[in-house]
Every structure is written in C-alpha cells, then in structure tokens.
Amino acid sequence: MNSFSAAQRSRVTMLDVAERAGVSKASVSRFIGEDRALLSEAIARRIEQAISELGYRPNQMARGLKRGRTRLIGMLVADIRNPYSIAVMHGVETACRRHGYSLVVCNTDRDDEQERQHLALLRAYNIEGLIVNTLGHHRDELFELRSEMPMVLVDRKVDRLETDLVGLDNPAAIEMALDHLEQRGYRDLLLVTEPFDGTSSRIERVESFKAGIERRPALAGAVVETCEQLLPRIKTFLAQPDRGPKALFCANGIAALAATRVLRDLGCHLFNDIGLIALDDLDWYPLVGSGITALAQPTAEIGASAFECLLKRLRGDNGPVQTLDFAARLIERGSTHGRAR
C-alpha cells in the first residue's frame, strides 16, 4: 500500500513510472495504450506494479489528443431547467456511456452570447461530435463546426444547416390531441405556447394546431403565448360566449405549468370548468386535480437516437441527412373526462 497524497499522484509522470519499473517510457506508453500485447508478461507486471506504487493516473485527455480522439461528445441545450432538455440529455448521456464516450453539456440559458461562448468552448475541448438543442441564432458558427465534425439537431431545426434531426412528430401529435378533445366533446380551444423566438418546433406545433382547427368545422381555436398577459387572456377566453365546452391545449410542460397556475389563480374548479391537455408528461401531471391528460414524448429514445445518429457519422457514414420523427403517446387522465352538451 502506498502513502502518496492526491497532490503527489497528480505530479507523477510516465517517466517516473518508467524509471521505477526499469523500462523505457515507450513501454509504459504501450502498457496504458492499445499496444499492451506487444509487451512481455514480465515487463507488463513491472509496469503495473510501478503504477500501483506511484499512484499514477494517465492523462486521458492528452492521450486522446495525441491520437486525434478524445471520446468527448458535446451537447448544447437552450434551457437546462426545461424538463424536456433534462430527459433528452439523460438519454444522450446513457447512450454515450454505453459506447465509451463522455458527454460535455453546455447550457445557453436562452442567451445568444452564452451560445456563442459555449460553441467556442466546445471547440476548445476538441469534442468529436456535437448534439444541438438550442436557438440556433449563431448559424455561422454552427455551419463552421458542421464542416469540422458530425452534428445532430434535437427537436429544433436550423435553417439551411444540412444535418440529421431527431425529435417529435409534431403534426401527428397535434392531430392526436385535437382528435381526443373533439371526441371528448370540447369545442372551444386555446393553445398555450411559449414565445416562438424562432424555435422551429413551437412554430410547427402552432401551425399544425391552426391547420387542424380549419379542418374541423366543429372546433374553434385561438393561440396565446406565456407572458404577463396570459392570465387576462385566459380569463377573457373563459368569459367568451359559450361556443361549446372549453379546453386549454398546452404546447409543452412549461406552458402547462404556467396555464395551471393561471387556472388556480382564477379559482377554476379543475377540471370541471375547463379541460386541459398538454404535450410532455411530467411527474406532477397526475397530482393536479384529477390528473392532466398528456402527450408523452419518448425522450429517452430521442436522446439515445441522437447519439446513435452521431455515432454512425463518426464511424464514416456519409449518407444523406435523415430526420427521425418519434410518435407521441396519449395518456388520458381526468382533465379531459368529457363534457356533455
């Protein structure tokens, strides 16, 4: 058993190991690298003993850079507080670990300057590939990185950036929600969404909602963003002449939380006064009233598939870019129990 402190171990070099084992530095390099089989059993044992006695820890980053490989994958997310981002990130990280990669995550906090700085930082880390779920306002930097390494987009498109995209089949999810609400007897719908901010998935959901309403003569629909006007807008919606039972359709978990707070502040009796359905399926949905009906996204699959797409590119796949659209799963709870006319 050795008595080296952590500080001492951090100063131990490959040369120290070589001198303790009585071998060349090249032999130590082979032992900790991919050429251990070239060493005799006796030399390998001496090197192993020296490493144990000295507490040597190889600098994996330096080794990776020397071979041109770091086994680091970068991930840029717009808002790490968003439950969707956390769930997808966990799927990516699990897949990375399974294949021997490590994940470096940078949160832009929906700030353009942070996004620019993090893109530069990820390049400095010599990542091998990049997974992007952010605003995409720094397209020039993204285009430049795309020319240097494989890249996969999650959930959000970036105009003219030709790369694989993994996310939800938004039009199909919206259709599923509208069909469910119509079948349950709701007729007057209000879609609650976060501000667009150029986010392609939010725009696609709103456009699909409007198109779906136009195809259904029995339904009326409007759109409101989560902002300081959300409470008065929902209050006005509830007070409008009765065109039929009313329901809110929340375009993601953050919108669902904002809308639920407004309904509580307005003193609504959940969910008798109004129905509610929401994209995402968060842990707190079953705890509100009789439970919130959800369109669950397969976030673990989305994250894992984003990494699998990246891994194929890292392994030399130069085929056409692809889009993987996953289906939502309807989880019915009491918030859409149905309304009689």
Side-chain angles (χ1 to χ4, degrees):
M1 184 173 179
N2 70 68
S3 59
F4 280 80
S5 68
Q8 287 173 315
R9 282 198 300 270
S10 67
R11 292 193 294 267
V12 175
T13 67
M14 193 182 295
L15 182 59
D16 295 328
V17 174
E19 290 176 350
R20 174 66 68 95
V23 300
S24 69
K25 187 177 176 181
S27 294
V28 177
S29 179
R30 291 192 181 99
F31 180 86
I32 64 176
E34 299 173 354
D35 299 321
R36 187 177 299 194
L38 299 176
L39 301 173
S40 69
E41 187 174 336
I43 289 178
R45 278 201 305 268
R46 280 157 49 195
I47 295 173
E48 186 175 22
Q49 182 177 352
I51 287 174
S52 177
E53 291 172 353
L54 295 174
Y56 175 64
R57 298 291 182 268
N59 186 329
Q60 299 295 342
M61 178 67 78
R63 290 175 59 213
L65 289 173
K66 185 176 180 180
R67 296 195 305 270
R69 297 194 62 193
T70 61
R71 300 195 76 80
L72 289 178
I73 299 299
M75 184 170 183
L76 195 67
V77 297
D79 184 2
I80 205 168
R81 296 167 299 180
N82 188 318
Y84 172 85
S85 299
I86 295 171
V88 171
M89 182 176 64
H90 183 261
V92 172
E93 196 276 332
T94 300
C96 281
R97 193 177 341 118
R98 189 164 59 244
H99 290 277
Y101 286 81
S102 296
L103 186 65
V104 179
V105 179
C106 290
N107 170 40
T108 70
D109 210 21
R110 294 186 290 187
D111 179 86
D112 285 347
E113 179 58 24
Q114 283 293 324
E115 181 176 322
R116 186 190 64 77
Q117 292 180 12
H118 284 320
L119 285 171
L121 179 65
L122 287 167
R123 173 180 277 152
Y125 275 136
N126 287 282
I127 56 173
E128 295 187 26
L130 180 62
I131 296 172
V132 178
N133 169 239
T134 188
L135 302 177
H137 289 172
H138 291 284
R139 286 188 297 178
D140 289 345
E141 287 87 342
L142 287 172
F143 273 79
E144 189 173 345
L145 279 170
R146 176 64 185 86
S147 69
E148 299 174 5
M149 67 185 69
M151 183 182 297
V152 173
L153 301 177
V154 173
D155 185 56
R156 301 170 174 186
K157 302 173 185 175
V158 176
D159 286 344
R160 297 187 300 280
L161 183 61
E162 293 294 321
T163 189
D164 297 329
L165 171 67
V166 182
L168 185 71
D169 187 341
N170 287 301
I174 300 301
E175 286 294 301
M176 184 185 297
L178 293 177
D179 285 345
H180 175 75
L181 292 171
E182 186 172 20
Q183 291 165 7
R184 292 296 178 271
Y186 296 99
R187 295 295 178 259
D188 200 1
L189 311 182
L190 181 66
L191 180 71
V192 183
T193 178
E194 288 190 274
F196 296 158
D197 197 26
T199 304
S200 64
S201 54
R202 295 176 192 170
I203 295 170
E204 189 174 33
R205 290 170 191 177
V206 170
E207 290 177 346
S208 297
F209 174 79
K210 291 178 178 178
I213 293 294
E214 289 182 3
R215 289 193 299 271
R216 293 170 171 82
L219 300 184
V223 178
V224 62
E225 296 182 6
T226 54
C227 60
E228 63 276 3
Q229 295 300 311
L230 183 60
L231 189 148
R233 288 290 304 276
I234 291 180
K235 185 176 181 179
T236 299
F237 172 71
L238 291 171
Q240 285 173 347
D242 192 7
R243 290 177 287 188
K246 300 177 185 294
L248 299 183
F249 181 5
C250 299
N252 66 8
I254 292 176
L257 181 59
T260 302
R261 283 173 170 165
V262 166
L263 293 177
R264 179 200 62 187
D265 293 343
L266 291 173
C268 289
H269 186 236
L270 303 177
F271 289 100
N272 291 329
D273 297 337
I274 187 170
L276 192 150
I277 190 170
L279 256 165
D280 295 334
D281 184 34
L282 306 186
D283 291 342
W284 58 270
Y285 282 12
L287 308 178
V288 178
S290 50
I292 296 174
T293 295
L295 294 163
Q297 298 196 58
T299 49
E301 287 183 73
I302 290 172
S305 294
F307 175 76
E308 294 291 345
C309 285
L310 197 67
L311 186 61
K312 288 180 182 178
R313 301 300 184 184
L314 286 168
R315 290 175 173 174
D317 183 353
N318 294 316
V321 298
Q322 58 179 331
T323 297
L324 298 181
D325 288 328
F326 285 84
R329 179 170 58 94
L330 179 67
I331 302 175
E332 187 174 355
R333 301 189 178 101
S335 67
T336 57
H337 57 77
R339 299 293 300 274
R341 289 300 291 159

